[in-house]
Amino acid sequence: MVYDLVIRSRRAVLPDGTRAAAVAVSGSTIAAIDEYAAPFGAHREIDLGDLALLPGLVDTHVHVNEPGRTEWEGFATATRAAAAGGVTTICDMPLNSVPPTVSVTALREKQAAAAGKCWIDVAFWGGAVPGNGDCLLPLHEAGVVGFKCFTLDSGVPEFPPLDAAGIRAALGPLAAMDSVLIVHAEDAGEIKAVSGRDFGSFVASRPPVAERRAIEKVISAAAATGARAHIVHLSAAECVAMIAGAKAAGIRLSAETCPHYLYFAAEQVPDGATEFKCCPPIRDAINREALWRGLEAGVIDCVVSDHSPCPPELKSPDSGDFGEAWGGIASLQVSLSAVWTVARRRGRTLDDVARWMAAGPAALAGLTAKGRLVVGADADLVAFDPDEAWVVDPARLEHRHPVTPYAGRTLTGRVRQTWLAGAALLGAESRAPDGEPAGRLLNRG
Ligand SMILES: [Zn+2]
């Protein structure tokens, strides 16, 4: 047997641990994995030496915003940034695009907008909004990986929230389909309107209790219906115990947090620095430490970007007013390095990072061929130098807009190459993809 490609690495991050290994690719899939010096015959052979070989990351929380708000981001730019950041699959959020993905017609419109533009594979979340109950099963059958809802104003009028009864009403049919409801969990009743340049006031306006009250509702709805529910972008670490308790009780609940909650602390955010605004907010260093412990304990299942950019004039208004600025952080391209920078300092390994950022999100979205270096999986791979330090230069980011709170930060760990379905993506200096976009639009499974 002559394989198309063999990649050898002394640090291959396999599901059962990191070790020296050779990964053989046939067509677009991993065909064999054996010891480093295995005598595989191949048309092309790459020896990464001490560079780590990771499964391509799966980022289940990306707002691409196309069609309708393509000036905010878009499939071409988002997926270029993803490729440069070692992400080989994204799941696009159903809102901020126009139309939002709340019907099969809207899904088809989005898929048409994405076709031919994607450098990596793209799957889609559907939306659960008031009045679209009849659309859930057709969307599921059309291949969405699950459904997103909000418990409060989403920030865009075309994607209204569900109340507690609405969440239960959506979860019933989702249980029958064995789909998942992913929830932006903040309770509007605990949130105060705020304006001004003071970051502390903004954080105080969205206290941890706002997350707690909303998560309580999600847990009771999941318990009552037996359906799968998932908390997106958990920021308030005090909710970790509640989530752990629900899991221990057999309730089908999972949770994610984001690189910015694990990397930044509110104390470091200058007044008027609206590039740090997201909802729920980045909290203090004590909360960050507790969030890390929740992740390390396995209560938090995934780390995904919540990449949610917008044009600079909306993100960084001259006023520096946190009430005025769009809430969303652009980090698709730097997520892996940001998480690894802190994780390695804490004595965590690349096995942990691969579980949080590849296998965990793939399992959430039911993408069985993604997120793990195993025979039969898609040959989505990343060569990663875990020791290289680099400074984030916004001008070198592939996101449509270069605004990011990571600007000027020194991060550790750099993506050197990304392969999608066995094909190398990155050109000179490992910066941006080369050639033609060959990403596929994925259905669940
Ligand atoms: Zn989001």
Side-chain angles (χ1 to χ4, degrees), residues 217-244:
K217 285 178 203 154
V218 176
I219 289 175
S220 21
T225 56
R228 276 172 68 206
H230 174 84
I231 307 299
V232 297
H233 51 51
L234 181 75
S235 167
E238 66 175 49
C239 300
V240 165
M242 195 166 65
I243 293 168

Side-chain angles (χ1 to χ4, degrees), residues 108-135:
R108 296 297 177 228
E109 208 172 312
K110 184 169 277 195
Q111 288 169 326
K117 292 182 192 158
C118 299
W119 292 87
I120 55 146
D121 288 352
V122 178
F124 299 92
W125 294 105
V129 294
N132 86 327
D134 290 347
C135 299

Side-chain angles (χ1 to χ4, degrees), residues 78-105:
T79 59
R80 282 178 73 82
V87 176
T88 50
T89 305
I90 60 170
C91 301
D92 173 57
M93 281 292 163
L95 72 155
N96 299 354
S97 55
V98 181
T101 319
V102 295
S103 67
V104 171
T105 314

Side-chain angles (χ1 to χ4, degrees), residues 61-63 93 95-96 148 150 184 232-233 256 258 279 305-308 327-328:
H61 197 146
V62 178
H63 296 267
M93 281 292 163
L95 72 155
N96 299 354
K148 167 98 180 266
F150 274 69
H184 179 126
V232 297
H233 51 51
E256 71 189 33
C258 307
C279 299
S305 69
D306 194 9
H307 179 74
S308 185

Side-chain angles (χ1 to χ4, degrees), residues 149-177:
C149 76
F150 274 69
T151 57
L152 80 176
D153 180 10
S154 72
V156 292
E158 67 277 4
F159 199 92
L162 294 179
D163 60 14
I167 289 174
R168 279 196 195 207
L171 278 175
L174 295 199
M177 301 168 214

Side-chain angles (χ1 to χ4, degrees), residues 114 326 340:
W326 172 255
W340 176 239

Side-chain angles (χ1 to χ4, degrees), residues 236-326:
E238 66 175 49
C239 300
V240 165
M242 195 166 65
I243 293 168
K247 286 180 161 190
I251 295 166
R252 300 169 75 202
L253 185 71
S254 55
E256 71 189 33
T257 191
C258 307
H260 37 273
Y261 302 124
L262 298 169
Y263 184 87
F264 296 112
E267 297 91 321
Q268 311 162 332
V269 178
D271 289 348
T274 51
E275 65 272 26
F276 289 87
K277 179 179 176 182
C278 58
C279 299
I282 293 165
R283 304 187 190 279
D284 63 18
I286 294 171
N287 180 81
R288 177 179 61 185
E289 172 62 27
L291 215 47
W292 268 104
R293 288 201 301 271
L295 181 63
E296 289 164 346
V299 179
I300 299 171
D301 304 85
C302 317
V303 181
V304 289
S305 69
D306 194 9
H307 179 74
S308 185
C310 68
E313 58 275 19
L314 297 179
K315 186 62 198 161
S316 302
D318 292 338
S319 61
D321 187 327
F322 282 96
E324 218 180 288
W326 172 255

Side-chain angles (χ1 to χ4, degrees), residues 10 13 18 38 77 81 85 100 146 164 171 175 218 224 232 299 307 363 368 405 419 435:
R10 300 208 174 274
V13 182
T18 294
T77 45
L171 278 175
V218 176
V232 297
V299 179
H307 179 74
T368 51
W419 291 266

